[in-house]
Every structure is written in C-alpha cells, then in structure tokens.
Amino acid sequence: TIADVSGKGIPAALFMMSGKTILKNFVLMARTADDLAAAMTLANQQLCQNNEELMFITVFLAMLDLKTGKLIYVSAAHNPPLIYHNGKYEYLPKTKKTFALGIRPKFSYQQDELQMDKGDILFLYTDGVTEAENVAEELYSNERLEEFLNDTDKNLPLEELLAQVRKSIKDYAGEAQQSDDITMLALRFKGK
C-alpha cells in the first residue's frame, strides 16, 4: 500500500492515521485477494462519514502472490505505478475513473490484476515525485520519471534504484524548495 493525504499538519496526519487503520482493518478481514476492492469501498464509506473538512486520501493497494506472480490491485485516484515488464517500464493501464477515499460515499471500487514475471519490478510513488518543481516552476513529470527509469540499469539493487531516482529529482529541482513529500517504493518479483 502507498497513500497520500490532502492537506498538511496535524489534521492531515490524524486523517491519514484514521484512514490507515480503517483500511488495514478491512483488508485484514478480507478472506481472499479478490476482496481488496470491497475493502477499499468499505474504507471509503467510513472515511466519508463526518468528513466536514472534505479531506481525502489517494491510495494504491495491491496484493502479490509470491508463488504465482499474480498481482491484484485497486486504486483510489493514486498516481499510477510503473511496472518493468518485457524489457521496459510502463505505467499500469488506467482503470475506470476512481476517486480518492473520503469523497464519494457510494462509489464502488474495482480491482484489476496482472501477471508479474521473474525480474519484473513494480515502482510506486507519491505525487511529490512527479510534481517536484525546478526554479522555473516546471514539473518533474510522469514522462520524465518513465524515461529516467527506462534509462536506468534494471539489475540495480532496489535501494540503489530509489537513490538514483531521488538524486534525479534533486538534480532537476536544483535550488527550488521541495513543496511536497517524496515517497517511493519498489519491489522486484523474484520468480516462481
């Protein structure tokens, strides 16, 4: 799971903690991986209650079967992850329009799945990565992230991969102030 909350400060931190706890509880109650969308739907309904400040949380939630490589995932308007598959990084295919948690109480989330092969990498991140700005207020962008990943050695340890992406963002931003948090997560499927 990777997520990002609207706003800043104590109210945002409390809303994120509440969202994390609610979503985790629903996921732990799931009987199969096929229940991920239902867990997201129920978490959304609960977060919409008494949300006068209209806060929201974007979430990407996935479950990987370590034996088969089957990845089941559901997104609540979170930045689309990239997957290294068949020799290149690409964004996961867009699903139907989704909404962040806490906005539409009657929205039903749908899940998707894909088959990961040995050596495939899943790269997740928050919007602080692609929305990092340079001094000219130009965004790092989805395209730049995809291009950078495709130009990077695919056999690097994941810690090194993440460090190189962070350096690329820092070099791009130069003297510009960081305006948002930067969170990244990568995993490599070791195979069957």
Side-chain angles (χ1 to χ4, degrees):
T1 304
I2 192 166
D4 199 6
V5 67
S6 63
K8 305 230 184 279
I10 293 172
L14 291 173
F15 193 71
M16 179 58 99
M17 183 54 76
S18 176
K20 175 186 174 191
T21 302
I22 290 167
L23 184 58
K24 180 179 179 182
N25 288 339
F26 282 124
V27 169
L28 290 175
M29 288 189 309
R31 295 191 177 145
T32 69
D34 291 329
D35 292 338
L36 284 185
M40 190 82 87
T41 298
L42 291 169
N44 177 59
Q45 290 169 356
Q46 199 161 354
L47 285 169
C48 285
Q49 295 175 8
N50 303 315
N51 184 11
E52 290 85 23
E53 284 79 29
L54 300 176
M55 298 188 81
F56 60 88
I57 303 171
T58 65
V59 180
F60 181 84
L61 175 66
M63 187 176 296
L64 175 63
D65 185 317
L66 297 178
K67 292 180 182 171
T68 67
K70 179 179 176 183
L71 181 78
I72 295 175
Y73 62 95
V74 58
S75 179
H78 195 77
N79 300 77
L82 289 113
I83 185 163
Y84 176 74
H85 182 73
N86 292 329
K88 67 179 181 173
Y89 278 97
E90 293 181 316
Y91 284 95
L92 287 183
K94 290 199 179 210
T95 56
K96 295 178 184 176
K97 182 170 177 73
T98 65
F99 296 94
L101 299 183
I103 295 180
R104 297 230 172 149
K106 295 181 181 179
F107 186 76
S108 292
Y109 293 87
Q110 304 296 315
Q111 61 194 37
D112 290 294
E113 65 180 64
L114 63 86
Q115 182 62 46
M116 292 185 74
D117 295 327
K118 184 176 182 174
D120 283 359
I121 300 170
L122 187 64
F123 182 88
L124 304 111
Y125 60 96
T126 59
D127 62 359
V129 171
T130 53
E131 294 178 6
E133 294 182 346
N134 62 17
V135 291
E137 298 182 355
E138 299 164 329
L139 299 179
Y140 186 79
S141 80
N142 290 347
E143 296 78 18
R144 185 171 276 107
L145 175 61
E146 183 178 14
E147 182 179 320
F148 182 81
L149 287 171
N150 276 310
D151 289 342
T152 304
D153 181 1
K154 311 317 176 269
N155 297 311
L156 283 175
L158 295 180
E159 296 85 6
E160 180 64 24
L161 172 69
L162 295 174
Q164 286 194 16
V165 174
R166 184 175 260 317
K167 182 179 181 321
S168 172
I169 295 165
K170 186 176 180 187
D171 291 348
Y172 180 79
E175 298 298 316
Q177 290 289 329
Q178 183 177 330
S179 61
D180 201 355
D181 61 288
I182 293 175
T183 304
M184 297 178 286
L185 171 69
L187 69 90
R188 179 181 284 121
F189 181 56
K190 297 275 186 160
K192 311 169 213 170

